[in-house]
């Protein structure tokens, strides 16, 4: 599943919902492993995704490390901002999807993996393909089902529901009684454009 939408529209929350819908309540004990492809340098993203063997590089952890792909075995791998994945890593990830196998860096023996992939991006991946920054074959592999999550300004009717949910969560986290939101406050909230979407709200 490929989730598309502006930053802050709730793509990770939506991914969690997909995971729970297919794995049972609270994920049914199956892992949901999330990684933001834009928050790591190329070399670090490679080791985070694929893992590595002991001695694979200077500073490699003793005993090696299981990567996020391997950690998601039996569950869901959520790749946020997949459009930020470096071009040279994309064929390796495509191979994982096609073969159902992952090789840790520094190893030659592949390990079998089976996971559900939910990817998300704020970029237009078709444009990224045209610009030569994203592989067409990987795009077709990850975009089997594409869901566009509209920005909050296009679904203002959701604002009261979201605001009350967020207020309840904050009250619960801080041990405070839950108050309702005055109608005039909700009107003000609904008039805002919320460029940062739900995150800003």
């Amino acid at each position: 599943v490929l989730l598309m939408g502006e930053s802050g529209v709730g793509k990770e929350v939506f991914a969690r919902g997909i995971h729970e819908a297919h794995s049972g309540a609270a994920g049914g004990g199956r892992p949901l492993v999330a990684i933001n492809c834009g928050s790591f340098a190329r070399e670090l993203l490679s080791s985070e995704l694929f893992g590595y063997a002991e001695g694979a590089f200077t500073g490699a952890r003793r005993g090696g490390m299981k990567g996020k792909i391997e950690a998601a075995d039996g569950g869901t791998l959520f790749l946020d901002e997949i459009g930020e994945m470096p071009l040279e890593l994309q064929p390796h990830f495509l191979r994982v999807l096609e073969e159902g196998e992952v090789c840790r860096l520094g190893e030659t023996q592949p390990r079998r993996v089976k996971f559900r992939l939910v990817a998300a991006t704020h970029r237009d991946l078709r444009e990224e393909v045209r610009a030569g920054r994203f592989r067409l074959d990987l795009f077709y592999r990850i975009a089997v089902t594409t869901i566009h999550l509209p920005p909050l300004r296009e679904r203002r009717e959701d604002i009261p529901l979201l605001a009350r949910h967020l207020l309840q969560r904050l009250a619960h986290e801080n041990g405070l009684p839950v108050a309702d939101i005055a109608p005039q406050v909700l009107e003000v909230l609904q008039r805002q454009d919320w460029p940062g979407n739900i995150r800003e709200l």
Side-chain angles (χ1 to χ4, degrees):
V1 178
L2 178 62
L3 304 177
M4 300 183 72
E6 293 178 8
S7 181
V9 294
K11 295 186 288 287
E12 185 162 356
V13 173
F14 206 89
R16 188 173 300 281
I18 291 171
H19 171 69
E20 291 177 1
H22 289 276
S23 304
R30 297 182 180 192
L32 169 63
V33 179
I35 184 170
N36 186 316
C37 296
S39 62
F40 293 94
R42 184 185 67 226
E43 296 79 14
L44 275 177
L45 180 60
S46 181
S47 62
E48 284 289 321
L49 277 175
F50 299 100
Y52 56 82
E54 183 174 342
F57 51 85
T58 305
R61 184 185 301 172
R62 198 166 181 205
M65 185 186 87
K66 179 190 286 191
K68 301 292 192 207
I69 294 169
E70 215 177 318
D73 189 33
T76 304
L77 177 65
F78 174 57
L79 291 184
D80 199 6
E81 297 306 345
I82 194 167
E84 307 292 328
M85 183 182 283
L87 197 56
E88 59 270 23
L89 277 187
Q90 294 176 25
H92 301 289
F93 186 63
L94 178 63
R95 181 166 174 78
V96 171
L97 297 178
E98 289 178 338
E99 305 297 328
E101 295 178 342
V102 64
C103 263
R104 292 182 183 181
L105 302 175
E107 287 185 349
T108 55
Q109 188 63 37
R111 299 165 187 261
R112 296 292 301 168
V113 287
K114 186 175 183 181
F115 57 89
R116 176 181 304 105
L117 175 67
V118 180
T121 184
H122 71 280
R123 293 182 181 272
D124 180 343
L125 288 187
R126 289 185 185 277
E127 183 55 42
E128 294 297 298
V129 167
R130 282 191 287 274
R133 292 186 293 263
F134 203 84
R135 291 178 60 107
L136 183 62
D137 47 5
L138 180 57
F139 172 74
Y140 284 129
R141 179 64 70 168
I142 65 171
V144 175
T145 301
T146 301
I147 300 171
H148 177 75
L149 302 179
L152 200 50
R153 65 185 170 276
E154 291 178 12
R155 50 189 176 116
R156 294 177 191 274
E157 67 279 3
D158 290 349
I159 291 172
L161 181 67
L162 288 165
R164 287 188 176 104
H165 169 75
L166 294 169
L167 180 64
Q168 286 176 355
R169 192 176 79 190
L170 287 167
H172 177 74
E173 287 172 2
N174 293 287
L176 299 170
V178 179
D180 197 13
I181 303 173
Q184 59 269 34
V185 173
L186 289 176
E187 286 175 25
V188 171
L189 293 177
Q190 285 183 286
R191 286 199 300 267
Q192 303 303 312
D193 274 343
W194 303 109
N197 293 296
I198 297 169
R199 186 177 295 128
E200 182 183 1
L201 174 65

